[in-house]
């Protein structure tokens, strides 16, 4: 599953690479750091290069954290795929002139037809999982075992919070009206002045929410009345006699 990226990076064995083989896995990580990513200075790569060491997983975990990788040691395939993607990005950044004139892939005969990008989506692909997880981390979306569920949650969040309308609404300054709490009767006593004040504030906020809800209900009623208040008569349905 990593062959395409490994081939693009000129890895010595892109076809035979086995992520489940611990030795191959560690060697690949060290190769990526030495040849492509180069996040550490050469003198600081000793712990990562010491592949047989029993403390290598600790060094690897620190390496992932230093790179701000969204995956941990236990998520081996996802982390490798993420590192490969990072290496490809750096490789392109180091050789922009070399790659910018690469001819595009030949277009298919059906290129004029609109293609849904989700039709051929592989939800089990490490690329897909890495992308969804990265978005979830950025947007603070709760992790879920089903990555499609996470993607749906991300879509809903973007539609509700990041749409142009939502951003415009959030940008509006809402200046509140000063309220004197002493003029509002709570109706009960908690025995603590601070709690009483907090309860009064919560009650006022709840009343404000109820007012907004009532406004929306009234708007809905008006919209329905506009539809049913002007009925149209269909004369074709009428008949004379029995």
């Amino acid at each position: 599953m990593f062959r395409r990226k490994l081939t693009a990076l000129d890895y010595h064995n892109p076809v035979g690479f086995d992520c489940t083989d611990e030795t191959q896995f560690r060697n690949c990580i060290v190769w990526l750091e030495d040849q492509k990513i180069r996040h550490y200075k050469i003198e600081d790569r000793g712990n990562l290069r010491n592949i047989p060491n029993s403390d290598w997983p600790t060094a690897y975990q620190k390496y992932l954290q230093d790179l701000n990788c969204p995956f941990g040691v236990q998520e081996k395939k996802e982390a490798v795929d993420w590192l490969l993607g990072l290496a490809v990005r750096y490789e392109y950044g180091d050789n922009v002139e070399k790659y910018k004139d690469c001819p595009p892939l030949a277009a298919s005969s059906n290129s004029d037809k609109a293609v849904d990008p989700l039709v051929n989506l592989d939800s089990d692909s490490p690329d897909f999982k890495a992308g969804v997880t990265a978005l979830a981390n950025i947007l603070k979306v709760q992790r879920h075992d089903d990555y499609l569920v996470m993607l749906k949650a991300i879509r809903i969040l973007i539609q509700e919070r990041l749409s142009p309308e939502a951003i415009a609404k959030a940008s509006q300054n809402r200046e509140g009206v000063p309220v004197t709490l002493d003029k509002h009767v709570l109706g009960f006593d908690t025995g603590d002045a601070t709690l009483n004040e907090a309860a009064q504030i919560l009650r006022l906020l709840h009343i404000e929410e109820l007012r907004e809800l009532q406004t929306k209900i009234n708007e809905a009623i008006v919209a329905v009345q506009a539809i049913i208040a002007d009925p149209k008569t269909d004369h074709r349905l009428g008949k004379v006699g029995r």
Side-chain angles (χ1 to χ4, degrees), residues 210-231:
L210 290 177
R211 288 175 177 171
E212 292 181 0
L213 176 61
Q214 185 62 53
T215 299
K216 293 180 179 179
I217 292 174
N218 293 340
E219 292 174 351
I221 293 174
V222 171
V224 172
Q225 289 177 340
I227 297 174
I228 65 175
D230 186 20

Side-chain angles (χ1 to χ4, degrees), residues 1 66 230:
M1 64 177 64
D66 292 342
D230 186 20

